[in-house]
Amino acid sequence: MTDDATVVLLVEDDRNIVDLVRSNLLVRGFEVVVSRTGADVVDLVRDHEPDVVLLDLMLPGADGFDICQELRSGSSIGIIVLSARRGESDKVRALNLGADDYMTKPFGVEELLARVTALLRRSRAGSDVP
């Protein structure tokens, strides 16, 4: 990857979703860093400086809501929640804690890519994405 590549941190424990999302991002020129537990997210953000975090809420050993809040408290990084939790209260909570967007599983990859691009466009006004 080049130094100019857009970095996406994918925080997801489902191997099938990781493979699907990662392969689609890679083919479009994104660099992808994966966390399967969420326990190392803060370190990964510090070490890789991702442009966007795709965050599952239900992770082994970590609470996605807490991760979202922690990320937002120290950064303006783009956060898109990807969750099987469909309730309005979960969506509202995630958005109020700092998520920029919320998609329920199952989701379409093209829609996800469009939302990532839109988020990057807003956060990087005037630059090309990825």
Side-chain angles (χ1 to χ4, degrees):
M1 289 291 146
T2 67
D3 290 337
D4 295 335
T6 299
V7 179
V8 176
L9 172 56
L10 176 57
V11 186
E12 172 63 60
D13 62 324
D14 184 315
R15 183 174 301 278
N16 293 328
I17 293 174
V18 169
D19 291 345
L20 176 69
V21 172
R22 179 175 40 204
S23 64
N24 277 277
L25 289 169
L26 288 172
V27 78
R28 287 165 177 83
F30 293 91
E31 182 177 336
V32 182
V33 177
V34 176
S35 170
R36 293 191 192 276
T37 66
D40 55 352
V41 169
V42 173
D43 293 335
L44 290 172
V45 167
R46 183 190 62 240
D47 295 345
H48 296 277
E49 299 180 358
D51 301 283
V52 176
V53 175
L54 302 179
L55 177 63
D56 186 10
L57 293 178
M58 297 183 291
L59 298 160
D63 181 276
F65 290 114
D66 292 341
I67 293 170
C68 183
Q69 185 173 28
E70 187 172 358
L71 288 174
R72 184 53 69 225
S73 71
S75 170
S76 60
I77 191 170
I79 303 169
I80 299 176
V81 170
L82 305 175
S83 181
R85 299 174 82 149
R86 297 178 168 275
E88 181 180 11
S89 62
D90 292 319
K91 295 174 187 178
V92 169
R93 182 177 176 200
L95 293 166
N96 284 337
L97 289 173
D100 296 292
D101 204 348
Y102 192 110
M103 293 184 70
T104 55
K105 297 175 186 176
F107 53 84
V109 173
E110 291 300 323
E111 181 181 357
L112 173 62
L113 294 168
R115 289 176 187 244
V116 167
T117 302
L119 179 58
L120 290 169
R121 188 172 48 244
R122 286 190 304 273
S123 65
R124 298 178 173 172
S127 68
D128 291 334
V129 177

